[in-house]
Amino acid sequence: MYGFGDSSPSNPESVDVLEDILIDYINTTCVEAARVAGRRSKVTVDDFKFVLRKDPKKLARVEELLAMNKEIESARTLF
């Protein structure tokens, strides 16, 4: 939080609020992805993409991270 203008030792209350918001967002996203998965036993990356389809910034970030992961995996196979 310091990088976004907060004081060096962040206020513990601010950290707690941000943590609560983040946990709620992650839980909601996971539950929604599980709902999309339906009767399948696994939640896939495509389920998360479907959940994030209405938020182009987050979807683009997911695509970027997946592409980077693929690039890292292919680099690992070379060594």
Side-chain angles (χ1 to χ4, degrees):
M1 292 175 29
Y2 177 70
F4 292 99
D6 198 5
S7 61
S8 181
S10 296
N11 185 349
E13 292 175 358
S14 297
V15 173
D16 290 341
V17 168
L18 187 59
E19 181 182 14
D20 289 343
I21 292 169
L22 183 61
I23 289 172
D24 184 50
Y25 174 75
I26 291 171
N27 283 335
T28 303
T29 304
C30 290
V31 166
E32 190 66 22
R35 188 189 62 75
V36 168
R39 294 185 178 170
R40 284 183 281 130
S41 62
K42 283 183 156 182
V43 177
T44 64
V45 173
D46 290 331
D47 297 327
F48 282 100
K49 285 182 183 180
F50 185 80
V51 170
L52 297 174
R53 73 190 183 283
K54 294 181 182 177
D55 191 340
K57 286 185 180 182
K58 289 178 186 154
L59 184 59
R61 180 66 175 155
V62 167
E63 296 288 346
E64 179 184 350
L65 291 172
L66 289 171
M68 186 62 67
N69 188 40
K70 186 180 268 188
E71 188 176 322
I72 290 170
E73 289 297 321
S74 66
R76 283 184 182 161
T77 60
L78 296 175
F79 293 105

